[in-house]
């Protein structure tokens, strides 16, 4: 890879995959099962964080017990994967991926979505050929993305970490990028409010088109 050529590592949920409505619906359905009141999109974006047990701590005033966490996590995913079938790609995402590849540039996907579920979904939307690598989560769902991002970037052939820009919708994406020696651009269309994203100290944008443009400029 050339000295000033950007490799983009895309996040999936809330970034390429516009599933925030499914997330809120699944969250509230799971909350109903465990006796928590429903949450609005605005409140969710104010409080959401990774690792997810910390999000529940913000809601409950305490960390959930191990048994509570397992029940919450199971309930959320049970509802989410039904609702996700109706979700689609973010506005313009498919064309942006195609254009980046057509320009001779590389990109990959690193997600905390379960790997075995992620791959069929990416294929369903017809975008797998645009990526040099696709990695979903293979371990527990109670950790952030930092260690996974390190492994993902290390596995990219011919790509040095300082050529990598992570595009995601969560502060954890910026944390993971830093952990891997990469840079980040955060997008407001997913899980976080603009204010919480700005606290990460990286560029924050309102569209994926802006994110791609910013990613190119960061490495120029």
């Amino acid at each position: 890879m050339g000295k000033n050529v950007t490799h983009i590592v895309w996040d999936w949920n809330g970034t390429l995959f516009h599933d925030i409505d499914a997330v809120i619906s699944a969250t509230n359905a799971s909350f109903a099962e465990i006796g928590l009141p429903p949450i609005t999109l605005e409140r969710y974006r104010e409080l959401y964080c990774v690792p997810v047990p910390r999000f529940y701590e913000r809601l409950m005033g305490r960390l959930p017990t191990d048994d509570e966490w397992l029940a919450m996590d199971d309930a959320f995913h049970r509802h989410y994967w039904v609702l996700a079938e109706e979700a689609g790609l973010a506005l313009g995402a498919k064309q942006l991926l195609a254009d980046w590849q057509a320009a001779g540039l590389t990109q990959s996907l690193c997600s905390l979505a379960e790997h075995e579920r992620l791959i069929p979904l990416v294929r369903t939307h017809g975008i797998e050929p645009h990526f040099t690598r696709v990695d979903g989560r293979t371990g527990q769902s109670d950790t952030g993305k930092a260690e996974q991002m390190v492994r993902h970037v290390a596995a990219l052939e011919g790509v040095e970490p300082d050529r990598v820009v992570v595009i995601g919708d969560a502060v954890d994406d910026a944390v993971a990028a830093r952990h891997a020696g990469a840079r980040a651009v955060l997008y407001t269309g997913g899980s976080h409010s603009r204010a919480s994203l700005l606290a990460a100290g990286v560029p924050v944008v309102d569209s994926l088109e802006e994110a791609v443009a910013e990613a190119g400029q960061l490495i120029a």
Side-chain angles (χ1 to χ4, degrees):
M1 175 169 282
K3 182 179 178 182
N4 294 318
V5 177
T6 304
H7 174 94
I8 293 176
V9 175
W10 291 95
D11 172 57
W12 178 245
N13 300 101
T15 304
L16 287 177
F17 191 48
H18 186 67
D19 63 346
I20 189 63
D21 295 331
V23 167
I24 296 301
S25 295
T27 297
N28 284 330
S30 63
F31 280 8
E33 290 189 21
I34 59 178
L36 289 174
I39 191 171
T40 64
L41 172 60
E42 291 72 25
R43 185 68 172 154
Y44 181 94
R45 283 175 164 164
E46 287 174 6
L47 296 178
Y48 183 74
C49 61
V50 177
V52 178
R54 296 290 181 183
F55 168 56
Y56 288 110
E57 180 182 28
R58 292 179 175 186
L59 283 169
M60 302 166 64
R62 62 175 176 81
L63 276 171
T65 65
D66 289 345
D67 287 343
E68 285 173 332
W69 162 246
L70 289 174
M72 292 170 172
D73 192 47
D74 175 73
F76 171 80
H77 285 99
R78 182 163 22 88
H79 292 288
Y80 171 80
W81 286 110
V82 174
L83 294 161
E85 293 180 6
E86 303 300 319
L89 297 178
L91 182 65
K94 196 166 189 176
Q95 190 62 52
L96 285 169
L97 294 173
D99 289 348
W100 191 260
Q101 184 183 33
L105 302 169
T106 59
Q107 58 202 326
S108 56
L109 177 60
C110 183
S111 172
L112 285 177
E114 185 181 353
H115 186 79
E116 295 304 316
R117 288 185 177 271
L118 174 66
I119 296 299
L121 194 53
V122 170
R123 289 174 180 164
T124 294
H125 289 282
I127 58 174
E128 187 182 24
H130 298 312
F131 301 118
T132 59
R133 185 177 184 88
V134 177
D135 287 323
R137 174 178 55 81
T138 57
Q140 297 298 311
S141 59
D142 59 349
T143 60
K145 193 186 282 184
E147 296 303 325
Q148 181 177 328
M149 185 64 72
V150 170
R151 293 192 298 271
H152 180 84
V153 171
L156 297 172
E157 294 185 9
V159 180
E160 295 300 320
D162 62 359
R163 301 294 101 198
V164 172
V165 177
V166 176
I167 297 179
D169 71 312
V171 171
D172 186 57
D173 290 305
V175 172
R178 254 192 316 269
H179 203 68
R183 306 186 201 192
V185 177
L186 298 181
Y187 161 62
T188 61
S191 60
H192 281 41
S193 67
R194 170 175 277 275
S196 62
L197 293 178
L198 287 170
V202 302
V204 175
V205 299
D206 298 315
S207 72
L208 294 186
E209 185 176 9
E210 291 175 272
V212 169
E214 188 70 38
Q217 291 173 3
L218 284 176
I219 305 300

